[in-house]
Amino acid sequence: MIKSLLSRFLSPVAVSLIVAGLTCACGGNKQATVSLELPDDFNGKTLDLISFNDSTVLGSATIENGTATLSLTESDSLRMPVLAQFVVDGRVKGYYVIEEGEANWTLGERVAKGTDLNVEFSNLIGELDKADEAENFPEIIRIAEKNFNANKDNIFGPYFGVEWLKWADPTKVDSLLNKAPESFRNMKRAQGYINFAHLRAKTSPGQPFADFEGKDADGNPIKFSDYVTPGKYVLIDFMASWCPYCIKDMPKIKEIYGKYKDKGLEVVSVAVRDEPAATAVAVKKHGIDWSVVYDAQKRPYDIYGFSGIPHYMLIGPDGKIVARSMKVEEIEGEIK
């Protein structure tokens, strides 16, 4: 009754927070349950439920017959609601707002269904996903900042704050953070992306490229600089075999390379967070006939501060960065 009356005047997140306080005051123990459905090839694997804010493991379940169930009871160490992530094999598969009630989630869905806050978060994140799918980076930044400012005092704020940090103009990050809650600024995940923003500033256009180590096709140690030819423009494609957007862009990279390789353009693909054997299969399958740096793992992320792939960077004949963070459709304009 109280919840229905409050919902006439307040947002779902505000209602849930108020009801949570009333429930705690009355001594009740809230129960959250989520039922999960996954393909049979996940059977036998462990699904972890991890807090978005601090990466604490809140629950785990073994996937059997394509299903799993997680039940959590509010306690001194778990105060609902909490934004959490479903993680399998170290990869985030979806999101779940832990709150009282029964929810369900199927692999492929971004957010669980069945409770008010999960519905609200699904709507908010869906707006951001549309801009992401269109690779509209200005719109991603606008939506993330808008949703962060609107939710910075509730559980959704940290998610949108982190998404904003991933793409924001690095020169504006510090001034904008001054308006953010201290809890967000001190959050470990946020601090990682704040550092990434500073790295982007250090490797912005006009700065010299930074070197790192990788391997060649035979597994021999090499340096990134071994593949950056002085006196030529070099297009860098940070990619991975498991990245669908990287594969989607590959025909356009081939077109650019074919058009400009005789005019002084080199292309180098750098495999990040990818096993060398998987990279080799992708190189053969997609007919990559330019230089490839294997097994760079996360080193480029920690130098250049980017958060997602593909990530493109154009290096000039003098070894300085000409442009970066381009969409594949923008590359040719930078080359011209």
Side-chain angles (χ1 to χ4, degrees):
M1 178 69 175
I2 293 174
K3 189 171 183 179
S4 62
L5 287 172
L6 289 171
S7 64
R8 296 181 183 179
F9 308 101
L10 302 171
S11 69
V13 66
V15 171
S16 291
L17 290 170
I18 292 171
V19 172
L22 292 172
T23 303
C24 290
C26 296
N29 289 322
K30 294 186 287 186
Q31 185 84 18
T33 301
V34 58
S35 303
L36 309 109
E37 294 184 15
L38 302 99
D40 288 340
D41 57 356
F42 280 78
N43 287 341
K45 293 185 176 183
T46 299
L47 181 143
D48 292 319
L49 185 63
I50 296 178
S51 166
F52 178 84
N53 282 15
D54 60 14
S55 299
T56 301
V57 177
L58 302 172
S60 299
T62 300
I63 302 164
E64 297 177 354
N65 299 318
T67 63
T69 301
L70 286 165
S71 293
L72 301 101
T73 301
E74 186 169 72
S75 64
D76 290 339
S77 60
L78 176 64
R79 310 306 295 177
M80 300 182 190
V82 177
L83 178 60
Q85 305 171 112
F86 298 120
V87 177
V88 181
D89 291 338
R91 294 189 180 277
V92 177
K93 300 297 183 181
Y95 294 88
Y96 168 48
V97 181
I98 304 172
E99 66 170 330
E100 186 176 21
E102 296 185 0
N104 57 81
W105 175 77
T106 302
L107 184 68
E109 295 176 343
R110 288 279 278 154
V111 184
K113 299 177 179 177
T115 62
D116 291 345
L117 291 184
N118 279 291
V119 170
E120 182 169 355
F121 186 55
S122 180
N123 291 336
L124 290 173
I125 204 173
E127 184 183 13
L128 192 63
D129 286 346
K130 287 181 181 178
D132 190 24
E133 289 170 7
E135 296 183 48
N136 187 338
F137 298 115
E139 185 68 358
I140 292 171
I141 295 168
R142 186 193 70 79
I143 293 171
E145 185 176 359
K146 179 195 73 171
N147 286 343
F148 173 65
N149 287 328
N151 296 279
K152 59 186 177 184
D153 295 321
N154 64 52
I155 60 167
F156 299 151
Y159 175 86
F160 293 104
V162 166
E163 290 301 306
W164 163 64
L165 285 171
K166 287 180 181 179
W167 309 106
D169 181 342
T171 64
K172 297 180 180 179
V173 166
D174 289 339
S175 61
L176 290 172
L177 280 172
N178 290 335
K179 303 174 184 177
E182 184 177 0
S183 59
F184 175 73
R185 296 197 302 269
N186 293 335
M187 196 173 79
K188 185 176 179 181
R189 187 189 295 269
Q191 289 180 341
Y193 285 107
I194 292 168
N195 179 55
F196 269 26
H198 293 155
L199 292 171
R200 292 200 303 276
K202 290 180 180 178
T203 54
S204 59
Q207 300 298 319
F209 80 89
D211 208 358
F212 56 87
E213 294 184 349
K215 293 178 182 178
D216 64 17
D218 297 320
N220 301 311
I222 53 93
K223 289 185 177 180
F224 173 57
S225 55
D226 295 337
Y227 293 83
V228 179
T229 307
K232 288 192 174 184
Y233 284 90
V234 185
L235 174 64
I236 311 301
D237 166 30
F238 294 103
M239 50 77 72
S241 64
W242 47 262
C243 167
Y245 296 108
C246 302
I247 304 308
K248 175 186 172 185
D249 284 1
M250 202 63 71
K252 184 63 178 178
I253 300 299
K254 282 186 179 181
E255 178 187 326
I256 292 170
Y257 183 54
K259 190 172 181 179
Y260 292 99
K261 65 180 178 179
D262 293 332
K263 299 178 181 179
L265 178 72
E266 298 285 352
V267 175
V268 179
S269 286
V270 178
V272 296
R273 297 172 58 202
D274 204 13
E275 292 301 319
T279 304
V281 170
V283 167
K284 183 176 180 180
K285 180 178 179 180
H286 301 290
I288 298 175
D289 58 352
W290 50 80
S291 298
V292 178
V293 175
Y294 292 76
D295 205 20
Q297 295 307 325
K298 290 187 67 179
R299 288 183 287 275
Y301 289 80
D302 296 333
I303 292 172
Y304 290 101
F306 58 86
S307 305
I309 54 175
H311 185 87
Y312 302 110
M313 184 167 66
L314 185 64
I315 299 175
D318 58 358
K320 292 184 179 180
I321 298 169
V322 175
R324 56 172 297 186
S325 305
M326 305 164 282
K327 292 196 293 184
V328 71
E329 296 84 3
E330 298 170 340
I331 292 173
E332 191 168 0
E334 294 291 347
I335 292 170
K336 287 180 178 179

